[in-house]
Amino acid sequence: MKNILKRLADRKSLSELEMKEAMDHILENDVTDSEIAAIMMSLVIKGETVEEIAGIAKAIQEKSHKFNKKIPNVLDNCGTGGDGSKSFNISTTSTFVIAGAGIPVAKHGNRSITSRTGSADVLEHIGMNLNLSPERIEEILEDIGIAFLFAPNVHPRIKKIMKVRNDLRIPTTFNLIGPLTNPVRLESQVLGIYRRDMTAIFAEVLKTLGRKRAIVLNGAGYMDEASLQGDNHLAILENGTITEKILHPNDVGLPTYTNDAIRGGDSKDNAEILLKVLKGEKGAFRDTVLLNAGIGIFTGGKARTIQQGVKIAEEVIDSGVALEKLELLIKLSQSSQQGVI
């Protein structure tokens, strides 16, 4: 660890293997809080490379609870948080629409860390049992095409990292790493990030992690979700190639709203918004979900274009299938006492 710290202090980048080995020591509790903080800050000062970010993600994945079933075409849809927008839970709501379109979704999420309400807070308020075993999560995913992975349960060794991250109170690589660490074998992914300068870098990381198709996006107003306020910046990974694209809501037949129009509240408020959207209520919340779900449906291969994905998302909501996915997930989680961690 001393040599790793010295190299980082000299602003020299680590290989993927070196970074992974350093993370292995951290996850085995072989290092001090001060050493973890030094690594975090050194990466910020130097600037993180694709290899370093991938090394961190792979180490966390390997030390997570194991998911062994090879369920085809699984997608994750989540953001890094940290955009300060105070929006409702957009990716969480969109997840049920994507699943309703026939794409298996392993939604990876947590309680609120940088935002007021996390995906776990909202789903728990509606009735979701968060404490399921990996085996039960896989069964539910295989059965109904959607499951929720509560990050602290599937990553039991990251508590020390989270403590140091919170103590630092300065955004580091570890504020961004969550969406990269889903332990389910994903084929595709939509990843929202509040740092526009890192969309292409994170697309490269997803390529390294084995995604066949992915979109990393930064929304108008620097949101970690696609926004109806204006231009959204996308890095699209497809067939091993990354292309960058700007997407305006008008490009896919949607109106514009300011980001203030999609502000949420506490878990009760955001749960109510989620349910209203899935029950078909129209307005800025729904249109925002249509945009984000449309991107997810395109990424998952069920639409030829994002605009077609938006149309499919509209049909899925209006048919009641998205709401049915939510109700099934809640019901199966509650009946899974034998599968509780």
Side-chain angles (χ1 to χ4, degrees):
M1 185 58 69
K2 182 178 179 180
N3 290 334
I4 293 290
L5 289 171
K6 187 176 187 309
R7 287 192 61 187
L8 289 172
D10 291 337
R11 300 194 179 188
K12 294 179 180 177
S13 295
L14 305 179
S15 69
E16 181 183 308
L17 180 58
E18 288 170 331
M19 189 72 253
K20 183 180 177 301
E21 288 176 348
M23 279 300 301
D24 286 340
H25 286 295
I26 291 172
L27 295 169
E28 293 293 342
N29 289 319
D30 291 339
V31 299
T32 66
D33 288 0
S34 296
E35 288 173 319
I36 297 172
I39 289 175
M40 289 182 178
M41 290 309 302
S42 295
L43 290 171
V44 170
I45 293 167
K46 178 185 70 64
E48 310 91 335
T49 67
V50 169
E51 292 77 13
E52 288 165 341
I53 298 170
I56 294 170
K58 287 183 178 180
I60 293 174
Q61 284 178 324
E62 286 188 10
K63 292 293 192 295
S64 68
H65 285 306
K66 300 303 178 187
F67 290 79
N68 298 314
K69 286 191 176 183
K70 294 181 180 179
I71 301 170
N73 306 318
V74 180
L75 174 145
D76 190 10
N77 172 47
C78 63
T80 59
D83 63 11
S85 68
K86 300 180 181 177
S87 64
F88 75 106
N89 296 87
I90 298 167
S91 63
T92 306
T93 311
S94 302
T95 291
F96 296 100
V97 184
I98 297 168
I103 300 166
V105 182
K107 169 67 175 165
H108 188 240
N110 206 342
R111 296 194 186 279
S112 173
I113 298 175
T114 56
S115 60
R116 188 173 177 185
T117 308
S119 55
D121 300 309
V122 170
L123 293 176
E124 187 175 54
H125 186 86
I126 297 172
M128 174 81 185
N129 172 17
L130 303 176
N131 299 312
L132 302 180
S133 68
E135 293 78 15
R136 185 56 183 147
I137 291 170
E138 286 183 315
E139 288 172 1
I140 291 173
L141 178 59
E142 194 170 40
D143 187 17
I144 64 170
I146 186 169
F148 182 74
L149 286 77
F150 183 38
N153 285 351
V154 297
H155 303 295
R157 301 196 187 194
I158 64 169
K159 291 180 181 178
K160 192 170 185 177
I161 295 172
M162 297 302 295
K163 176 187 178 299
V164 176
R165 170 186 150 176
N166 293 336
D167 287 347
L168 277 178
R169 299 184 182 181
I170 296 173
T172 71
T173 316
F174 291 81
N175 291 71
L176 306 173
I177 205 74
L180 300 172
T181 62
N182 192 324
V184 172
R185 299 180 188 182
L186 303 176
E187 185 163 307
S188 56
Q189 185 163 357
V190 178
L191 192 160
I193 186 168
Y194 69 88
R195 284 185 56 179
R196 188 166 294 169
D197 62 313
M198 295 192 76
T199 55
I201 291 172
F202 265 57
E204 289 283 0
V205 174
L206 290 178
K207 178 181 175 181
T208 302
L209 295 176
R211 307 294 186 266
K212 293 181 180 178
R213 197 170 187 187
I215 291 182
V216 180
L217 62 87
N218 175 264
Y222 293 90
M223 288 187 66
D224 72 330
E225 311 275 4
S227 163
L228 296 172
Q229 182 167 281
D231 289 341
N232 297 278
H233 294 251
L234 280 57
I236 304 170
L237 167 65
E238 190 168 16
N239 298 322
T241 301
I242 295 168
T243 57
E244 296 188 64
K245 174 184 176 69
I246 293 177
L247 179 72
H248 191 278
N250 293 165
D251 297 336
V252 293
L254 291 171
T256 57
Y257 298 88
T258 67
N259 288 339
D260 287 341
I262 56 169
R263 286 197 172 208
D266 60 18
S267 58
K268 179 177 181 294
D269 297 327
N270 286 6
E272 289 175 354
I273 293 169
L274 184 153
L275 289 170
K276 285 178 180 178
V277 170
L278 297 188
K279 289 177 181 178
E281 183 174 294
K282 296 186 177 181
F285 296 127
R286 171 190 167 102
D287 288 342
T288 301
V289 169
L290 290 178
L291 178 58
N292 283 272
I295 291 170
I297 292 166
F298 168 74
T299 306
K302 291 292 185 177
R304 294 186 303 276
T305 64
I306 293 174
Q307 185 166 11
Q308 186 185 31
V310 170
K311 292 294 184 185
I312 293 171
E314 192 171 15
E315 294 167 4
V316 169
I317 292 175
D318 291 341
S319 68
V321 174
L323 180 62
E324 182 181 324
K325 287 290 183 182
L326 170 64
E327 292 171 343
L328 279 170
L329 180 60
I330 300 300
K331 180 180 178 181
L332 289 177
S333 76
Q334 291 174 343
S335 64
S336 299
Q337 296 305 314
Q338 77 278 9
V340 174
I341 290 176

